[in-house]
Each structure stands twice: as structure tokens, then as C-alpha cells.
Amino acid sequence: MSLPQGDVSVPRGAPSRGWTLAAVACGTFLMLVAFTMPLATIVPTAASLDAGVAGRTWVLSSMSIGLASALLTSGAVADDFGRRRTFVAGLFLMALTSVVCVVAPDTVTFVLARVLQGVGGAAVTASSLGIIAHTFPAGPERASASGVWGAALGAGIAVGPVVAGLCDAWVSWRLAYALLAAACVATAALALGVVRESRAARPRPVDRWGGLLLAVGLGSLLAGLVESRQDLGDPLALALFGGAVLALVAFVAVERRGRAPMLDLMLLRHRRFLAVTVAAFATGMGIIALFSFMAVFLDTGFGIDALGASLLLLSWSATSVAASLLARRIPEHRVSGRVQLAIGLVGVAVGQAGLAAVGPDTSWPRFVPALLVAGVASGVLNAALGREAVAAVPVGREAMGAGANNTARYVGSAIGVTVVAVIVASHGTSRQDLFDGWNVAVLLTAAFSLVGAAVVLTCRPARDAR
């Protein structure tokens, strides 16, 4: 197999591409399992940790902070120092922090462990797409592998809450984290055996200041969003937002002047990179934000517990898995990645809109058709995002591209969830108020998806690479 220009591979045996794909897909799956597990167990978790209302919000949001803060840095590190090494290190960090979650005596310990678990998950996610780009040449093979990666993404979202809910019903919510730790160690061992090490042909100096400023900026932004969900005028939230602005402005200044910037800001002038970044951000602001809040809505509005809500949402997440696998067969020479992204965003907007116009007399089966539509569209979107994230950056910087793309996705979801929560809360506290707020939030998140699709369609290159 010829290497992508700009990449080097550490001499080793010739492991099967299939096993390599299995290892990175499994790592991606476990990251999403870890990310979604608290959705089904927030009530017993909060009770065990003696967490109040604010504590519950932090339990649900803490991993997002670690993810968004470390994704871009992890991608740059993976490209320069080894993608397999970064992938395996991320899995071991996820395993270690899972053990801490098992024994955590209080909210602070659990939240800190989840933030670090997000850092590990960032290393796994960014390096996994870099490994795929290195292993599979551009074209049908990479499109097929990206479809499997997208399916693993959907599968993790589907399985995480269900496994956590079942573990809590059988033994304790802590059992889910023990199983996660064991699975992460097993996947790391598999990766060490079957994944060939690779890195950029010309490693660059570590952008320490860029990495620090980005982590502080995004971490402060997400922490401020979490705090503001209870009170938009909260002094701590305002201070965090102020710190985020200062750190991110400094980050841009450092990256513009640096000789080896972590993120080459000139990439934003390339329409393909801009299109996939906007698509990822719109995905977070739209479908991910709405469905992250949906478990709370189903519980409060319909009396469906988190495990039941997770099973209902399987009609979305499981459908997205199948659609991601089928999307591998879409010929890119006929339907470009940019068009696939736009189609996916329009599809999820249609699915989201189908969840609106509900009231206290609505029954839960009413949601299933819309969830199925959103699932098909999400599958197409996830597969295209995985492929375009690495195709839109220079050869040898694929993990950085994956990190930038996923950073946009998780920052978008953090902003979107905050918007949804504030809109619903602003309508009042009665059951009818809940439905009124939900209907407005649904249409707004659908609008985010449509705006994202429109921007993506305008990012047509002079010669549309297909």
C-alpha cells in the first residue's frame, strides 16, 4: 500500500485494514458510550453523589468541556507524534477516569474525572480519523471506512444510555463505568496489535501557547454556558465568558503570528474546509442539542424515565447506524461531499420539525416517524462529516482536521443545549409551558440546521472536487 504523500509509517508488519478499522471504530464507539451514559442515570448518579440542580448540570456537561478543549490539540499531537500512540493513550486515560468514576465519593471528584475523560475521548476521536485517512486511500475505500466510523458514532449514542440504564437496574450505575474501563483497555490492546503507527512526514514544533490558550478559551466558554443555564446573569458565568473571549482572541493572534500554528487560520479561506466546519457546528447546534435535551422533555412531559427515553431514541440512533453504512455506497463523483452534507442537514431539519406542534394530549408514538427521518439523515451526515473532515486539510494533517471538525460539533452542541434549555425555562413551569417552550426550541434548532445547509451549499469551490 502506498502511503499518502506527506505521511510516514513506522516499519512494522502488515496488519489487516479490516482489523485497523475495527479498532478505531470500537474506540469511537466507546467514546460516544462514555459521553451518553449519564443521560440514563442522572437521577441515581446525582442522588449517590449528593448533587443538587447545578451539580446535575455539571455531571451531564463535564465531558463536553474536556472534549471541546482538547480535540484540536489532540489532532495536532497525533499528526506530529503518532496517531496510534495518541489513540492508545486516549483509551487508557478514558479507562483510568472511568475507574475514578466508579469510586467517586462526591460531585467534584466525578465531574473532574469526566472532564479528563473528555480529554481522553478527544485523543481517541481525533486520531481515529487520522488513522483511517492514513490507512485507506482517498476514494471509495476511504468513503466506506468513513461510513463505518459514522456508524460507530451512532451506535455509541444508541448503546450508551441503554447499557447505563440496565447496569443501574441490575446492580448500580457505577457498574457501567467499570465495564467501560475494561472495554477501553481491551480496545487499546487490540490497537497496539493491529494498528500501524503513522505520523506526518515533517513533524512541527509543539504550539504550546496555542494549545494552552485554546483549552482555556473553549473550557471557559463551555463552563460559562453550563453556569448560565440556571441564570443568564450569573456573575461567574459572565466572568467565564469574559475569560473565554480574551483567551480566544489571544489564540487567534498567536496562530496568525506563529511559525508552526496548531490551526492554520488560512484554512478558513478554503471553501471545503469551511463547509465541513460549518456543517459540524450546525449539527451540534441543531440535532445534537435538541436530542440531548429530549430525555429531560420526555421525562417531565410524558413521565418516561431516562431508560425509556433512550429506548425511544433508538429509532433515531439505530437508524443512523444503518444509514451510515449504506451511505458508503453513495458515489462521490456524482454526489459531492458538500452536497451530501447539505442533504443531511436538510433531512435532520425535517426530522426535527416533525417533533414540533405537540401538546399535553400527544402520545409518544407520535415522535417515531420524525425520529426515523432524522436517523436516516444523521447517518448520511455522520458519514460525510468523517470523510470531509480529513479530505479538507493538507495531507499529513488529517488528525488535526478531525480535531477541528469535532471541536466545532461539540462547541455547537454546548451552545445549542444552552439555547434550548433557556427557551424552555423562559416559558414557565407548568406542563403546558413545557410543551410551548419545546415547540419553539424545536423550530429554532431546525432553523439552525437549515441555515447550516444553506451556508454549506454556498461554499462551492471554483472546481467542485468530487
Side-chain angles (χ1 to χ4, degrees):
M1 180 187 72
S2 61
L3 298 177
Q5 185 179 4
D7 257 11
V8 296
S9 183
V10 176
R12 203 167 169 270
S16 163
R17 289 184 183 178
W19 279 109
T20 297
L21 181 58
V24 297
C26 188
T28 301
F29 168 79
L30 291 175
M31 193 282 288
L32 267 298
V33 167
F35 185 76
T36 56
M37 281 198 308
L39 293 176
T41 59
I42 184 58
V43 173
T45 300
S48 177
L49 299 174
D50 196 23
V53 175
R56 289 188 183 193
T57 305
W58 276 99
V59 167
L60 290 172
S61 305
S62 49
M63 189 171 175
S64 295
I65 294 175
L67 272 167
S69 301
L71 272 163
L72 189 55
T73 304
S74 296
V77 168
D79 284 330
D80 291 333
F81 296 98
R83 299 176 184 119
R84 184 187 68 164
R85 181 178 300 164
T86 305
F87 182 79
V88 170
L91 284 168
F92 277 124
L93 181 55
M94 285 180 61
L96 177 61
T97 50
S98 293
V99 173
V100 175
C101 290
V102 172
V103 300
D106 52 43
T107 305
V108 173
T109 303
F110 184 86
V111 166
L112 290 176
R114 288 284 291 173
V115 172
L116 291 175
Q117 194 165 65
V119 174
V124 170
T125 304
S127 57
S128 64
L129 277 174
I131 292 170
I132 286 175
H134 171 79
T135 306
F136 297 90
E141 289 186 72
R142 187 178 296 174
S144 180
S146 297
V148 172
W149 184 88
L153 203 72
I157 294 172
V159 170
V162 175
V163 168
L166 291 175
C167 286
D168 181 64
W170 289 337
V171 181
S172 166
W173 61 269
R174 296 179 188 269
L175 174 62
Y177 291 93
L179 295 176
L180 177 64
C184 286
V185 171
T187 303
L190 174 65
L192 286 171
V194 303
V195 177
R196 177 177 293 180
E197 183 63 283
S198 64
R199 61 178 68 93
R202 296 179 180 177
R204 302 182 302 174
V206 178
D207 183 8
R208 294 183 179 87
W209 281 109
L212 176 62
L213 289 168
L214 183 66
V216 171
L218 291 179
S220 298
L221 173 63
L222 269 65
L225 289 169
V226 172
E227 284 291 321
S228 67
R229 289 174 199 172
Q230 305 300 322
D231 179 6
L232 285 174
D234 181 272
L236 177 57
L238 295 176
L240 288 168
F241 287 141
V245 170
L246 291 175
L248 292 175
V249 169
F251 169 75
V252 171
V254 168
E255 297 304 279
R256 291 183 63 181
R257 297 177 181 178
R259 290 184 298 175
M262 178 187 306
L263 175 64
D264 184 357
L265 298 178
M266 294 296 292
L267 283 171
L268 294 173
R269 297 186 179 182
H270 294 272
R271 294 184 179 182
R272 192 173 190 180
F273 180 82
L274 182 61
V276 71
T277 303
V278 168
F281 185 77
T283 300
M285 284 278 287
I287 191 75
I288 295 178
L290 184 67
F291 285 6
S292 295
F293 187 83
M294 193 168 180
V296 175
F297 170 67
L298 291 172
D299 181 17
T300 308
F302 295 91
I304 300 174
D305 63 18
L307 179 56
S310 300
L311 293 173
L312 176 59
L313 286 170
L314 275 175
S315 55
W316 163 62
S317 53
T319 303
S320 75
V321 173
S324 289
L325 294 174
L326 292 174
R328 299 180 300 169
R329 303 182 181 276
I330 299 176
E332 198 176 356
H333 66 281
R334 297 193 177 204
V335 186
S336 70
R338 177 180 59 87
V339 173
Q340 290 180 43
L341 290 172
I343 290 173
L345 286 169
V346 171
V348 296
V350 172
Q352 287 168 264
L355 300 172
V358 297
D361 296 330
T362 304
S363 59
W364 66 262
R366 154 79 165 71
F367 295 111
V368 174
L371 291 171
L372 291 174
V373 171
V376 172
S378 292
V380 174
L381 188 57
N382 286 337
L385 281 171
R387 184 177 64 253
E388 291 295 297
V390 298
V393 295
V395 175
R397 313 310 302 175
E398 291 87 357
M400 181 274 291
N405 186 261
N406 282 284
T407 298
R409 187 200 305 248
Y410 287 107
V411 170
S413 69
I415 296 173
V417 169
T418 300
V419 170
V420 170
V422 170
I423 288 175
V424 173
S426 69
H427 278 73
T429 57
S430 71
R431 189 161 180 256
Q432 182 62 56
D433 291 335
L434 172 69
F435 282 94
D436 291 341
W438 168 261
N439 290 329
V440 173
V442 166
L443 294 178
L444 185 60
T445 56
F448 290 154
S449 299
L450 288 176
V451 170
V455 174
V456 168
L457 284 175
T458 63
C459 294
R460 178 169 185 152
R463 290 185 62 186
D464 198 355
R466 292 176 179 250

